[in-house]
């Protein structure tokens, strides 16, 4: 049995602990409590010793203390948990509590010892961090969508406005070409050169507009846009891309198709830029109420020693998926390539449906 009288040394040890500390017997009666404990309770030591939590704490708190005490007594194991309790002014505070069994020299459990630390500040900082992370995420999502809208607008204007102007210019040059005299020949040569400059500008313009935001995505949808994109990649690089869709007759909400398109674009850009792969496969599937993208390559894998860098591209892919309630997983084996799996849920407002006109 442990005695209720604590020695001066034990007393000093207990009181030196800035957190609440106590000893209880097998019946959960207080044998000793330190100064920090009494300060929080606001009652004298005599009013605590020999009592159970039910006699000094409000019922809902006492219930937790008795339950956890009994758990320690029964299991013989240390128990650690976080609890919340109002302070004297009624403001909730958080505590981290650790309870352990006390054994006699025969190994029988004769009571419990506990310590409880006020972690309210840490909790508040954690909550603040969670909140500010969520805000940052919202801001980044907002910037992302503003950027996408802006790109779409510029792309449309380039295509419609400047595109029309260049077409008109070309027609005017054609008209002129018909009418200039054959001599001097230099005049026609110059006109031909002007026409080919205009032709090249039209090609450049179309490329720039499509890079900003492919109109095919808005007009024909994700499947066509991804086909266009992969064709573009295979033309510009030595990479072979195997593309497969389990369904082609689907329309998606614009945020889903934008996210999917941008994720595929970044993944393929990374493969071309970093992987040294010869083959990439892209599978677009529908399962579990979600659009599933699987992009893999047979390249060198992601170098983990380098991956301490910012990785904004990968982060952006993950965020795009997250923004729509989805997820991204990545597996990479050095020398064997990389596999990225993205899940984008198709919600009730963005169901898997038949093609719109
Ligand atoms: N498919 C891949 N194969 C090999 N390495 C990759 C691949 N994708 C990404 N990486 C590595 O991960 C890093 C981070 O990628 P990312 O976040 O897109 O940034 P960035 O492309 O701007 O370098 C890349 O610099 C590269 O080292
Ligand atoms: Mg990248």
């Amino acid at each position: 049995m442990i005695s209720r009288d604590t020695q001066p040394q034990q007393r000093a040890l207990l009181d030196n602990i800035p957190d609440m500390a106590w000893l209880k017997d097998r019946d959960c009666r207080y044998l000793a409590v330190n100064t920090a404990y009494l300060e929080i309770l606001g009652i004298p030591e005599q009013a605590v010793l020999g009592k159970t939590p039910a006699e000094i704490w409000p019922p809902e708190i006492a219930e937790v203390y008795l339950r956890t005490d009994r758990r320690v007594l029964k299991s013989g194991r240390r128990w650690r948990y976080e609890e919340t309790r109002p302070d004297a002014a009624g403001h909730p505070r958080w505590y981290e509590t650790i309870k352990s069994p006390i054994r006699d020299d025969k190994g029988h459990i004769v009571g419990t010892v506990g310590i409880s630390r006020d972690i309210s500040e840490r909790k508040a900082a954690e909550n603040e961090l969670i909140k500010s992370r969520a805000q940052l995420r919202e801001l980044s999502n907002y910037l992302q969508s503003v950027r996408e809208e802006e790109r779409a607008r510029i792309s449309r204007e380039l295509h419609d406005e400047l595109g029309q102007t260049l077409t008109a210019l070309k027609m005017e040059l054609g008209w002129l070409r018909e009418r200039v005299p054959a001599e001097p020949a230099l005049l026609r040569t110059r006109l031909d050169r002007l026409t080919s400059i205009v032709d090249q500008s039209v090609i450049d313009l179309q490329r720039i507009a499509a890079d900003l935001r492919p109109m095919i995505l808005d007009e024909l949808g994700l499947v066509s846009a991804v086909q266009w994109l992969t064709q573009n990649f295979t033309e510009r690089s030595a990479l072979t891309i195997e593309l497969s869709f389990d369904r082609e007759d689907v329309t998606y909400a614009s945020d889903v198709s934008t996210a999917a398109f941008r994720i595929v674009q970044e993944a393929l850009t990374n493969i071309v830029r970093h992987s040294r792969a010869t083959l990439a496969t892209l599978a677009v599937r529908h399962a579990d109420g979600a659009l599933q993208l699987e992009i893999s390559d047979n390249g060198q894998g992601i170098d983990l020693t380098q991956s301490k860098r910012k990785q904004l591209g990968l982060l952006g892919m993950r965020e795009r998926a997250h923004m729509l309630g989805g997820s991204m997983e990545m597996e990479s084996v050095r020398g064997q390539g990389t596999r990225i799996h993205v899940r984008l849920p198709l919600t009730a407002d963005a169901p898997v449906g038949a093609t719109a006109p």
Side-chain angles (χ1 to χ4, degrees):
M1 271 292 156
I2 37 179
S3 108
R4 200 175 285 179
D5 317 308
T6 40
Q7 302 300 314
Q9 289 94 329
Q10 291 171 332
R11 183 83 256 159
L13 186 64
L14 275 179
D15 285 343
N16 194 41
I17 300 173
D19 306 319
M20 297 164 75
W22 63 90
L23 299 169
K24 288 181 206 165
D25 67 13
R26 273 203 72 90
D27 301 321
C28 309
R29 293 182 185 283
Y30 289 97
L31 296 169
V33 290
N34 70 349
T35 316
Y37 203 117
L38 293 171
E39 273 167 11
I40 285 190
L41 262 182
I43 53 174
E45 189 177 23
Q46 298 86 313
V48 179
L49 298 185
K51 302 277 169 45
T52 70
E55 293 166 276
I56 54 171
W57 289 102
E60 65 282 3
I61 295 173
E63 193 269 325
V64 176
Y65 294 174
L66 285 168
R67 181 156 42 86
T68 46
D69 282 349
R70 285 181 191 131
R71 189 190 286 252
V72 173
L73 289 167
K74 194 160 171 234
S75 69
R77 289 229 289 273
R78 162 189 282 217
W79 185 249
R80 185 182 198 133
Y81 63 98
E82 287 181 2
E83 57 178 296
T84 175
R85 203 174 61 220
D87 63 13
H91 300 129
R93 296 200 71 82
W94 278 93
Y95 294 87
E96 180 182 55
T97 300
I98 304 170
K99 294 183 171 181
S100 304
I102 305 172
R103 293 174 192 273
D104 64 14
D105 45 14
K106 295 197 185 68
H108 298 130
I109 295 173
V110 292
T112 57
V113 55
I115 188 163
S116 190
R117 168 168 299 175
D118 189 330
I119 53 163
S120 308
E121 251 104 87
R122 192 184 87 197
K123 275 274 170 193
E126 270 171 20
N127 287 338
E128 198 50 46
L129 196 67
I130 291 169
K131 216 167 83 189
S132 77
R133 248 194 215 151
Q135 281 171 342
L136 272 180
R137 191 163 247 167
E138 252 173 55
L139 178 66
S140 127
N141 293 345
Y142 170 72
L143 290 177
Q144 191 92 272
S145 62
V146 168
R147 181 165 164 250
E148 200 67 50
E149 276 169 30
E150 193 66 6
R151 293 183 126 207
R153 191 184 60 76
I154 297 171
S155 168
R156 246 190 337 266
E157 268 180 26
L158 279 178
H159 184 270
D160 298 349
E161 306 290 327
L162 209 52
Q164 301 288 347
T165 312
L166 287 176
T167 309
L169 189 59
K170 191 174 146 99
M171 282 162 67
E172 291 297 319
L173 282 172
W175 186 89
L176 219 74
R177 175 76 166 71
E178 294 295 309
R179 282 158 184 81
V180 295
E183 289 299 326
L186 194 61
L187 220 55
R188 284 198 171 177
T189 316
R190 279 294 163 106
L191 273 177
D192 288 344
R193 207 183 289 167
L194 271 180
T195 307
S196 65
I197 290 175
V198 173
D199 286 342
Q200 188 56 46
S201 304
V202 171
I203 294 170
D204 290 346
L205 180 78
Q206 278 166 350
R207 182 180 47 78
I208 294 169
D211 278 351
L212 278 169
R213 179 167 173 105
M215 239 174 286
I216 195 171
L217 182 59
D218 300 311
E219 284 165 8
L220 297 179
L222 183 66
V223 174
S224 305
V226 166
Q227 282 165 339
W228 168 83
L229 184 71
T230 49
Q231 192 192 334
N232 223 306
F233 268 102
T234 42
E235 278 167 11
R236 291 190 204 177
S237 70
L239 186 70
T240 303
I241 304 174
E242 282 174 3
L243 192 55
S244 66
F245 296 91
D246 69 342
R247 294 185 59 179
E248 300 195 10
D249 60 333
V250 187
T251 45
Y252 308 94
S254 133
D255 54 353
V256 173
S257 56
T258 299
F261 181 82
R262 293 299 184 202
I263 287 170
V264 169
Q265 190 176 34
E266 175 64 26
L268 290 177
T269 306
N270 277 349
I271 294 174
V272 169
R273 199 181 284 165
H274 309 296
S275 77
R276 300 204 186 140
T278 52
L279 178 70
T281 58
L282 166 59
V284 182
R285 308 247 169 280
H286 298 82
D288 308 324
L291 174 63
Q292 318 253 355
L293 306 170
E294 185 147 317
I295 310 141
S296 33
D297 66 66
N298 67 348
Q300 60 183 2
I302 294 184
D303 185 350
L304 289 173
T305 56
Q306 271 204 4
S307 62
K308 293 206 176 55
R309 290 179 25 213
K310 286 199 189 87
Q311 304 199 333
L312 292 182
L314 294 173
L315 188 69
M317 289 163 76
R318 202 178 289 277
E319 276 301 307
R320 278 190 188 274
H322 196 273
M323 184 162 88
L324 298 174
S327 57
M328 176 179 117
E329 281 143 43
M330 198 166 66
E331 278 168 39
S332 191
V333 179
R334 291 288 285 145
Q336 287 181 38
T338 304
R339 192 188 71 91
I340 290 175
H341 183 98
V342 176
R343 249 189 90 253
L344 302 176
L346 299 165
T347 56
D349 350 323
V352 177
T355 318

